[in-house]
Amino acid sequence: MSTTDQRVAVVTGAARGIGAATALRLAGEGRAIAVLDLDAEACAETVAQIDAAGGRALAVGCDVSDAGQVRSAVDRIATELGAPQILVNNAGVLRDNLLFKMSDSDWDTVMNVHLRGAFLMTRACQSHMVDSGFGRIVNLSSSSALGNRGQANYSAAKAGLQGFTKTLAKELGKFGVTANSVAPGFIATDMTAATAARVGMGFEDFQAAAASQIPVQRVGRPEDIANAIAFFTGEAAGFVSGQVLYVAGGPLD
Ligand SMILES: NC(=O)c1ccc[n+]([C@@H]2O[C@H](COP(=O)([O-])OP(=O)(O)OC[C@H]3O[C@@H](n4cnc5c(N)ncnc54)[C@H](O)[C@@H]3O)[C@@H](O)[C@H]2O)c1
C-alpha cells in the first residue's frame, strides 16, 4: 500500500497508557493515527512521538460519551486525515466500589464511557469503513468481564463490549469489516496505579502482588496489548472476526 492510500486509524483514550502504546504501534505499521482523548493538549506527547518516528498523527479532543462531540470529531478526522478504516475503542475509566456503596453516577459514568462511547464511535466510523469495503474494529474488554469484586459497573460494561463486538462482526462482515475484542489482564498504567493508591498500596508492591498470581510471573505492559491490537487490525487478519483474546500472561479461571 502506498502512502497516498495509507489507512487511517482512530485510537480513543490515546493520550497515555494502552491507547498511547497502540497509537505508536499502529503508526509503526504505517497507519495515519487520530490520537483521540478528552483533551487535545494531553494528546500532544503521543503525537510528537509518532511525528518523531516519521509517522502522521492528528490530536483530537473528544468525550466519546457525547454524541455531538463524536460526530464532529469523526467528521474532522475524515477531512483532515482521511476516512477512518480502523477504530480502537480503548477510552476507559474506573469507578470501583462494592455494590452496596456504588452510586448511580459510578454506574452511569462507566457505562457511558465504555459502552455508549464504543457505540457512538463505532456508529460514526462504520459508514467510512462500509463505503471503502474495509474496516477493522477492536474493542478493549478486560479480564474483569468474568467478574471482579468491587467492579459491578466495569465488569458489566466489559462483558457488554464482548457482546457488542460479536454483533458488529455479524452485521458488518459482509462489508469487509472485522470486529474483535482484546481483554487485558493486569497492565501497568495510570489506571492500575490509581487502583493501588485507592487500596492504600505502593504501586511497586501492588504490581509484585499481581505478578505472583500470573503464570508468566510479571504484570503486563501497554505494548503487550498494542501487539495483540496490531494483529487484529492487520491486513492479514480479515478472516478473524468476533473473537475475544485474553492477554493476561496466562489462562483465566
Ligand atoms: N490497565 C489495565 O490493567 C487494564 C486491564 C483491562 C482493561 N483495560 C482497559 O484498557 C483501556 C485503557 O486502559 P489504561 O490502563 O491505558 O487506562 P488509562 O487510565 O491510563 O488511560 C485511559 C485514557 O482514556 C481517556 N478517557 C477517559 N474517559 C474518556 C472519554 N470520555 N473520552 C475520551 N477519552 C477518555 C483518559 O483521559 C485516558 O487518557 C481501558 O478501556 C481499560 O478499561 C485496562
Side-chain angles (χ1 to χ4, degrees):
M1 184 177 297
S2 73
T3 48
T4 50
D5 55 9
Q6 183 183 38
R7 297 198 196 281
V8 172
V10 183
V11 183
T12 73
R16 68 184 196 206
I18 293 169
T22 300
L24 285 164
R25 175 63 202 262
L26 297 190
E29 304 269 317
R31 310 328 192 159
I33 312 291
V35 178
L36 186 150
D37 211 293
L38 279 171
D39 173 9
E41 280 177 22
C43 299
E45 173 66 26
T46 309
V47 168
Q49 287 185 51
I50 293 171
D51 285 347
R56 205 168 138 235
L58 175 71
V60 181
C62 172
D63 177 347
V64 296
S65 68
D66 182 301
Q69 288 188 36
V70 166
R71 224 175 292 117
S72 312
V74 173
D75 285 351
R76 188 179 153 221
I77 291 163
T79 306
E80 294 186 28
L81 213 53
Q85 291 181 303
I86 298 168
L87 171 63
V88 182
N89 284 310
N90 165 82
V93 289
L94 294 179
R95 293 289 183 276
D96 293 357
N97 242 327
L98 291 174
L99 181 65
F100 78 101
K101 288 194 282 191
M102 188 170 283
S103 69
D104 295 6
S105 119
D106 290 336
W107 180 268
D108 291 344
T109 300
V110 167
M111 291 300 150
N112 283 339
V113 176
H114 294 270
L115 277 179
R116 182 179 159 84
F119 159 65
L120 292 174
M121 285 299 305
T122 306
R123 190 180 60 180
C125 290
Q126 59 81 30
S127 60
H128 295 287
M129 299 180 188
V130 168
D131 286 350
S132 67
F134 179 96
R136 298 279 187 266
I137 299 163
V138 177
N139 297 314
L140 269 288
S141 179
S142 167
S143 53
S144 296
L146 302 170
N148 197 25
R149 191 178 151 78
Q151 293 194 317
N153 49 2
Y154 185 77
S155 57
K158 291 307 200 187
L161 281 166
Q162 296 189 8
F164 180 61
T165 301
K166 290 175 190 181
T167 300
L168 296 176
K170 290 186 179 186
E171 289 191 13
L172 298 175
K174 64 180 169 210
F175 304 108
V177 179
T178 66
N180 291 286
S181 187
V182 174
F186 187 115
I187 310 298
T189 67
D190 288 354
M191 184 177 272
T192 38
T195 301
R198 194 178 59 79
V199 300
M201 277 179 81
F203 194 34
E204 291 302 320
D205 290 344
F206 193 61
Q207 290 182 72
S212 72
Q213 303 301 310
I214 297 171
V216 302
Q217 294 287 291
R218 69 166 175 88
V219 298
R221 296 181 278 266
E223 294 73 22
D224 291 315
I225 305 307
N227 286 336
I229 294 170
F231 167 70
F232 281 129
T233 58
E235 303 296 314
F239 203 57
V240 183
S241 197
Q243 302 305 302
V244 179
L245 180 64
Y246 284 88
V247 182
L252 298 161
D253 298 332

